[in-house]
Amino acid sequence: MNIGILALQGAFEEHKKVFESLGVSSKEIRQKKDLSGIDAIVLPGGESTVQGQLLRKLDIFIELKKLIEAGLPTLATCAGAILLAKKIENDPDSHLATLPVTIKRNAYGRQLGSFKSLLDFDDIKDYPAVFIRAPYFTELGQGVQILSQNGSEIVAIKYKNQLAMSFHPEMTNDTRIHKKFLEICGNG
């Protein structure tokens, strides 16, 4: 199993450390050629607009979109979820648009609105979710499964091969969500 981690900007290093702690190899995706030989991909938190621009500028965008649509297991956190969303509230543009959802960027406010919350995530109980300038999902298309909510807000979903969340599991010492992703990849 070789996990690709988009390493253009954002919290990619933290995901790499989690997979290393689980004994799973990963490689940083910085160029189109880096996509070859990966069994799954992580789209990390960070600045979704910057990441989207870099995907296009570095000619990674089309190939990555094709791989995800063809079934490449995908874990997307915060900005990564925005990259996958078909529609972004109050924004006429989208990025990869492989996830039939609408997402609200910075839904909890700016940096000062960051917080932690204990959530249930699918069958995982009391997960210590870290929200940093977090979005949440406001509309879900057919086939999208809700995995977690923070109050009434939908903060984690699964659609086919894509697992997307508003929070940052890489910012905790709790590896259960990364393990769940490995199960989805068939390496749990």
Side-chain angles (χ1 to χ4, degrees):
M1 170 77 43
N2 193 18
I3 309 285
I5 302 174
L6 188 64
L8 303 179
Q9 186 274 334
F12 58 89
E13 195 63 43
E14 290 82 355
H15 282 286
K16 188 175 178 87
K17 288 177 184 173
V18 174
F19 286 117
E20 284 174 2
S21 78
L22 295 173
V24 177
S25 65
S26 64
K27 80 177 197 180
E28 294 179 3
I29 307 298
R30 296 179 186 273
Q31 303 174 51
K32 185 177 177 179
K33 68 178 185 173
D34 297 335
L35 291 170
S36 112
I38 60 171
D39 302 301
I41 191 151
V42 174
L43 305 178
E47 296 289 338
S48 59
T49 303
V50 172
Q51 290 180 13
Q53 289 170 347
L54 289 171
L55 283 171
R56 287 174 176 90
K57 183 178 180 181
L58 298 169
D59 193 31
I60 300 171
F61 183 89
I62 293 170
E63 184 65 21
L64 179 58
K65 181 177 172 76
K66 284 180 186 175
L67 287 169
I68 294 169
E69 289 175 337
L72 183 70
T74 304
L75 172 66
T77 61
C78 200
I82 294 169
L83 287 177
L84 292 180
K86 188 170 194 120
K87 185 173 181 205
I88 303 166
E89 273 193 20
N90 302 316
D91 191 337
D93 300 320
S94 62
H95 301 285
L96 295 165
T98 59
L99 200 53
V101 300
T102 300
I103 198 163
K104 182 176 181 181
R105 181 185 283 144
N106 296 324
Y108 294 102
R110 304 302 283 174
Q111 196 73 22
L112 294 176
S114 300
F115 63 98
K116 293 180 182 177
S117 181
L118 276 180
L119 303 174
D120 291 341
F121 179 94
D122 196 24
D123 59 349
I124 297 171
K125 303 297 179 204
D126 296 324
Y127 189 84
V130 176
F131 292 83
I132 303 170
R133 294 177 55 209
Y136 58 72
F137 303 95
T138 58
E139 294 178 37
L140 306 180
Q142 191 169 357
V144 178
Q145 175 188 357
I146 298 171
L147 296 180
S148 187
Q149 291 183 247
N150 182 48
S152 62
E153 289 97 21
I154 300 166
V155 296
I157 56 158
K158 181 177 186 295
Y159 176 71
K160 296 181 180 178
N161 54 306
Q162 299 169 69
L163 189 60
M165 62 209 67
S166 301
F167 51 91
H168 292 267
E170 75 282 7
M171 297 293 190
T172 74
N173 291 324
D174 192 324
T175 61
R176 292 180 289 169
I177 288 178
H178 285 82
K179 286 178 183 173
K180 180 163 279 298
F181 179 62
L182 293 173
E183 289 173 15
I184 290 168
C185 296
N187 193 43

